[in-house]
Amino acid sequence: MKTIDVCLSPDLMHLYPVNDRTVVVVDILRATSCMVTALAHGVQSIRPFANLEECRAMKSKNYFTAGERNGEKVEGFDFGNSPFEYMADNLKGEKIAFTTTNGTQAIAKSQGAKEIIIGSFLNLSAVTEYLKKGEDSVLVVCAAWKGKVNLEDTLFAGALVENLKNHVEPDCDAPLAAQRLYNLAKKDMVDFLKDSSHVKRLNRLNIHKDIEFCLTPDQYQTIPKLVDGELVRA
Ligand code: MLT
């Protein structure tokens, strides 16, 4: 039977071989929610960068530059890290170079995986169905915050474990912990997360509406998949 494991922080990636796995990278607040939203609204592709200056340099190659550091838009970039910025009609068919504090770092640390796709609550059911059909075992990589475990990515990992429970067997205890936590939180995730570190950080930056949106399941069917260094619709 296929298995599912959960890497709660990219700093733990050395514990998880990925060459035979489908890796689902998740950064609920807000990087992977932005990626799903952008591709769902017609952006052609997103090239993720761990390094800010490499991302900035893509401006000269006809890419829009986008992303944040510590939750705030990077100076000189075209877009920040709010999903609402990626719904605009003028982004349809465009290419975006994207760098974030944790989300794009987690993608970089997942290199070498058999396949890398992007998860968020916004495409939860689509990702669930994709993983049910796939032949490979799954590793959910939580972007976390600068190596420290966070609640929102863990909840998403738990939602996947719960949705796949009749199809995919948990590998170890992290998937079980995430699943139990998700079942405690699922009735009202906004309330469950109200004291969490990144929700508090975003509230301090007056970013309120992104939180609720990023926690709303199944807004899109789109699954971003990394192909030749670019995220495109799977
Ligand atoms: C990240 O990649 O760390 C986040 O998406 C931060 C944010 O909410 O802007």
Side-chain angles (χ1 to χ4, degrees):
M1 196 182 192
K2 290 186 295 188
T3 63
I4 183 164
D5 212 338
V6 176
C7 176
L8 291 170
S9 157
D11 284 13
L12 298 173
M13 278 302 281
H14 60 281
L15 301 175
Y16 299 91
V18 291
N19 60 319
D20 58 350
R21 293 218 173 215
T22 292
V23 163
V24 184
V25 177
V26 54
D27 184 353
I28 294 298
L29 297 174
R30 299 162 289 167
T32 61
S33 299
C34 285
M35 292 165 184
V36 171
T37 303
L39 291 185
H41 283 266
V43 164
Q44 184 186 318
S45 66
I46 299 170
R47 183 171 282 270
F49 286 89
N51 182 284
L52 196 152
E53 293 312 324
E54 284 175 22
C55 185
R56 195 191 297 279
M58 296 304 284
K59 188 76 189 160
S60 63
K61 295 184 178 158
N62 282 331
Y63 282 72
F64 283 105
T65 51
E68 56 67 46
R69 282 296 178 270
N70 298 315
E72 297 189 273
K73 183 180 166 193
V74 177
E75 216 183 309
F77 274 27
D78 299 306
F79 301 101
N81 197 30
S82 167
F84 294 102
E85 294 178 83
Y86 297 96
M87 296 173 181
D89 272 354
N90 64 349
L91 277 175
K92 281 200 169 90
E94 299 290 353
K95 299 203 280 187
I96 295 177
F98 201 53
T99 183
T100 67
T101 311
N102 304 287
T104 58
Q105 318 297 324
I107 295 173
K109 287 205 172 169
S110 302
Q111 295 299 331
K114 186 158 180 198
E115 175 182 42
I116 298 176
I117 63 169
I118 297 298
S120 69
F121 282 110
L122 302 173
N123 67 349
L124 173 62
S125 291
V127 171
T128 301
E129 291 311 310
Y130 186 87
L131 296 174
K132 268 186 204 168
K133 287 188 201 127
E135 286 173 6
D136 299 310
S137 288
V138 177
L139 178 67
V140 186
V141 175
C142 298
W145 182 262
K146 298 184 181 178
K148 294 181 180 172
V149 171
N150 73 18
L151 271 182
E152 63 274 14
D153 298 342
T154 307
L155 290 186
F156 174 80
L160 275 184
V161 177
E162 175 67 20
N163 287 357
L164 292 167
K165 66 185 172 196
N166 297 324
H167 305 267
V168 186
E169 197 178 317
D171 259 320
C172 198
D173 286 358
L176 295 178
Q179 181 187 21
R180 306 266 191 287
L181 209 56
Y182 170 69
N183 283 328
L184 283 176
K186 66 185 173 192
K187 274 207 184 104
D188 189 348
M189 289 192 287
V190 175
D191 183 63
F192 191 86
L193 290 170
K194 67 179 186 296
D195 298 322
S196 66
S197 56
H198 199 45
V199 164
K200 287 206 255 183
R201 191 176 295 111
L202 293 176
N203 279 331
R204 279 198 296 277
L205 296 168
N206 280 321
I207 299 166
H208 308 294
K209 66 176 185 170
D210 293 11
I211 299 168
E212 203 158 324
F213 181 69
C214 293
L215 295 173
T216 309
D218 298 334
Q219 297 302 294
Y220 304 117
Q221 289 298 311
T222 305
I223 303 172
K225 177 176 168 157
L226 197 69
V227 178
D228 297 331
E230 305 245 345
L231 293 166
V232 293
R233 283 177 285 277

